[in-house]
Amino acid sequence: MHLTHWNSEFWRFKSFLVGAISVAESRLIYDIQKSDKLFCQGRFNYPKEVFDEALWETLPEISKKIDQYDPTKAKVMTWVNRILEFKFKDGIKKYNKRRK
């Protein structure tokens, strides 16, 4: 009976941690969106929608790859902008295909 109680407490605590992580990720994404440090070379050479779509695809990617971030290799915004750059290049390809 004692083990069952511990198991129940463990799962309640784990659920709390998952919620806390979600709050932290939400805060990170909010801060990134409000940051004036988002950068994409050539951003203004294409319609705003191309950048917006790239950013929209970048945000969940950040959450998915947050465990891969290494602060010894880059600042957070450098890492975010690198992901954004790849998504933006994909967006440019999609945009150019739609125009043909």
Side-chain angles (χ1 to χ4, degrees):
M1 192 152 151
H2 181 68
L3 184 58
T4 306
H5 177 69
W6 180 86
N7 200 17
S8 158
E9 290 298 311
F10 169 78
W11 286 107
R12 210 164 54 215
F13 180 68
K14 186 174 178 183
S15 295
F16 168 76
L17 286 178
V18 168
I21 289 168
S22 295
V23 169
E25 285 177 349
S26 294
R27 178 59 195 220
L28 174 64
I29 288 172
Y30 174 81
D31 288 346
I32 288 168
Q33 286 177 305
K34 297 299 177 193
S35 170
D36 62 349
K37 295 181 181 179
L38 282 171
F39 176 78
C40 248
Q41 183 141 4
R43 170 183 176 178
F44 299 107
N45 297 336
Y46 295 90
K48 182 180 179 318
E49 292 78 26
V50 176
F51 176 79
D52 289 346
E53 184 177 330
L55 181 58
W56 185 253
E57 291 176 4
T58 297
L59 298 176
E61 192 78 12
I62 292 165
S63 291
K64 202 163 71 175
K65 294 184 174 183
I66 194 72
D67 60 326
Q68 297 174 12
Y69 170 67
D70 183 353
T72 64
K73 292 184 179 178
K75 293 180 180 180
V76 172
M77 286 309 297
T78 303
W79 179 71
V80 167
N81 282 327
R82 187 75 176 139
I83 295 170
L84 178 58
E85 179 184 350
F86 286 119
K87 296 295 181 182
F88 186 67
K89 286 179 181 179
D90 288 344
I92 291 170
K93 289 176 190 174
K94 289 179 200 174
Y95 172 76
N96 288 333
K97 281 183 182 178
R98 286 190 299 251
R99 291 186 63 206
K100 289 183 180 181

